[in-house]
Amino acid sequence: MLFRSGLAAVLGSALAITGSRELTARDPFAAQASPRPTGRIAAAVRLLAVLLRSVPEYVLTFLLLGLLGPSAWPAVVALALHNAGILGRLGAETIEDLERRPVRALVRTGAGRAGLVLGAVVPLASRRFLLHAAVRLETCLREATVLGMLGIASLGASVEEARARQRYDELLVLVVLAGLLVAGVDLGSRRARRWLRRSEEHTSELQSRQYLVCR
């Protein structure tokens, strides 16, 4: 579960960065926001993200079953690719909606695209991207359960086995466990976002103090 969600988050982050028109433009995060044509790199990445999220994860799983065999890997790869396409699009839109002033400040210091990503995009967009990733993680839990009922090794397979053997007490425990997993993911994402919010407020306070000292 965590592996496929982490893989989706990593792939989605890569798609978001390379699919952002602001980052791939000749003048990243221009001073004045204006409609601009999508570059070739961003256009290709956005098309890839569309293809990944347009194919249902169930179809991808059935296609991968013939290549990888009846194991957990078809579901892992299918869910990771499908959710990477969704996170890539959401992440790219998040990057393009960032406040331009702090990013332009880095641009004026001569920072390259890698510097912009590490110094501005990651700190400013991490909280919202974390929220998107947590929501997709909850979706992965539910989808993995359904895929397990179709024969993929996961929690859903245990649920189907318990139903077939008419062990309803075990079935109830597994259903409750699935609900607790989703609730745990939601609680963990809330605490992580709260921690990021406090870190951002602390950083802003330090920057304000430094500015007053310099004056």
Side-chain angles (χ1 to χ4, degrees), residues 95-136:
I95 293 173
E96 293 182 359
D97 290 338
L98 292 178
E99 186 180 356
R100 306 175 95 74
R101 286 182 297 176
V103 185
R104 290 300 300 177
L106 278 179
V107 173
R108 286 192 292 270
T109 63
R113 287 182 174 83
L116 292 178
V117 171
L118 296 176
V121 172
V122 172
L124 295 174
S126 57
R127 189 169 57 184
R128 187 177 299 179
F129 188 82
L130 179 62
L131 173 61
H132 295 322
V135 173
R136 297 315 304 173

Side-chain angles (χ1 to χ4, degrees), residues 18-126:
T18 54
S20 171
R21 291 169 293 190
E22 295 291 350
L23 277 173
T24 57
R26 180 174 299 179
D27 181 18
F29 290 91
Q32 296 295 330
S34 59
R36 63 178 66 183
T38 305
R40 293 182 179 179
I41 296 178
V45 173
R46 283 171 176 261
L47 177 60
L48 176 60
V50 169
L51 294 176
L52 290 177
R53 67 176 183 270
S54 63
V55 181
E57 58 275 11
Y58 311 106
V59 176
L60 282 176
T61 301
F62 285 126
L63 292 176
L64 292 172
L65 275 173
L67 297 175
L68 303 177
S71 64
W73 283 107
V76 170
V77 177
L79 290 174
L81 291 178
H82 180 76
N83 287 279
I86 297 174
L87 290 175
R89 176 56 186 271
L90 294 175
E93 297 297 333
T94 299
I95 293 173
E96 293 182 359
D97 290 338
L98 292 178
E99 186 180 356
R100 306 175 95 74
R101 286 182 297 176
V103 185
R104 290 300 300 177
L106 278 179
V107 173
R108 286 192 292 270
T109 63
R113 287 182 174 83
L116 292 178
V117 171
L118 296 176
V121 172
V122 172
L124 295 174
S126 57

Side-chain angles (χ1 to χ4, degrees), residues 203-215:
T203 302
S204 300
E205 183 180 354
L206 289 178
Q207 290 176 348
S208 300
R209 290 180 181 178
Q210 292 174 356
Y211 175 74
L212 292 175
V213 170
C214 291
R215 290 189 63 185

